[in-house]
Amino acid sequence: EWVPLTWSLQKWKEILPTSRVKVRRGKLKPNFLHPQWERFTQEEMVDVENLFSTQFQAELEEKGDWMYYDYKYMRDIMDPEILQHFAWDHVGLKERNGWDSTLWIGTKGANTPCHQDSYGYNLVTQIHGTKRWILFPPEQSQLLWPTRVPYEESSTYSLLNLRYLKQFPDNDPNKQKLDDMKIKDTVGSRLMIERLNQLVAQGTPYVVELKPGEVLYVPRHWWHFVSNTHFAISVNTWVEVPEDEEARLEEALVRIQAATFLNNLSSDEVRSFLNPNEDDLLNCDIEKLSDLTLEIADRVREIRSAKLQAKYPDFSQSWKPLAPGVLFCPKIREETDQTNSFQQSVLSPIKDESLQSCDNQSNCLNSQPTNINVPDTDSKAINGSEYTTITSIDLYPETSSTVKVFNVLTSKAVLNAAAEQF
């Protein structure tokens, strides 16, 4: 029912705020195994005309790259009269429109690493092109190997790169070009395939190709990996629920831990520890953050006594429930690639029982972090842009002592106990 669904691409170019926009640029087939977090993409300015040009998109794909104008609050880039065209009343949320929404425009292959949002539920309307969503319920979190590194407020990432999962087996004619991602045989790749195989065997993936005019409801705390299968435009809104205030208390505790940890890290380690949008945490006033945490705790008590109810979409009209799907793992190339003992230790699963489970919570909370072992990196010029690649394939950074301790201190069990103490 949205008028923007009828807009031409020319109209979209006209309503964007400037003729040049800042985008993230990443690789379609990166030479590392871990998810393509923001630190592994390049920020650059691009002409809006080029971003929407099919010729430019084809040339970009030929170079093996994608671009994403993502996570843009529409109230910051569009006139108020335009925002009214993005009303969510057709799903029963009459008080919401473009003012409460976010815009995503990206070329083929642009993607968001698998993660879990801390707050609310998500509604996504596809405007142009198609997007592939892979979702897992929160009950299967351990299969996703959750981590708070790279740290970003309100997001928990998965250590698994779901970009490698395929909807079709290798011999299926429907397999897309982007699905053809064979991997060298290394210690890291074998570990990754083992974890992905466990995920597809024991997990319940929900896979949907979201098409123009369709709206996807993403329940609270559901894991999701999102990638553009074509040039795509979508708009979403995150809808608050009463439980968010308790989640904010937990996130405040995580933020205090993160700010404290930064004091023990070198500049290179900080770069690995933080998502780029959290660089301001380096100048955080921990005392003020602690005071804010106490204020949030007071609000949690008020909300619990008020027994507020969340506002959900009206699912009685035109909604279709999704059924679990099937995903396939990539195959490893036959040739072998020898790895040294350092890689073996970096890529091994966590064995330290004292870090995996804390019987004594106070001892856990008082643990002192040790330094992160950051692998060697090299910068390579790719199509005129600098990309940093980890040459020793540090696939799972949680194996470093600091990150292991941080993930324990920010685990759900510890956070829930700490939040109740507040």
Side-chain angles (χ1 to χ4, degrees), residues 326-363:
V326 178
L327 292 170
F328 299 89
C329 286
K331 291 184 177 180
I332 295 178
R333 295 178 185 173
E334 293 183 359
E335 66 266 27
T336 60
D337 183 16
Q338 298 298 321
T339 59
N340 56 36
S341 58
F342 170 73
Q343 288 173 300
Q344 175 68 54
S345 65
V346 168
L347 298 171
S348 297
I350 298 176
K351 299 294 185 182
D352 192 339
E353 297 297 332
S354 66
L355 290 174
Q356 291 192 78
S357 59
C358 267
D359 295 327
N360 188 327
Q361 183 179 316
S362 61
N363 288 341

Side-chain angles (χ1 to χ4, degrees), residues 139-154:
E139 295 79 17
Q140 298 172 4
S141 291
Q142 291 309 307
L143 294 174
L144 276 299
W145 290 79
T147 179
R148 292 310 303 255
V149 180
Y151 169 73
E152 179 181 50
E153 197 271 335
S154 79

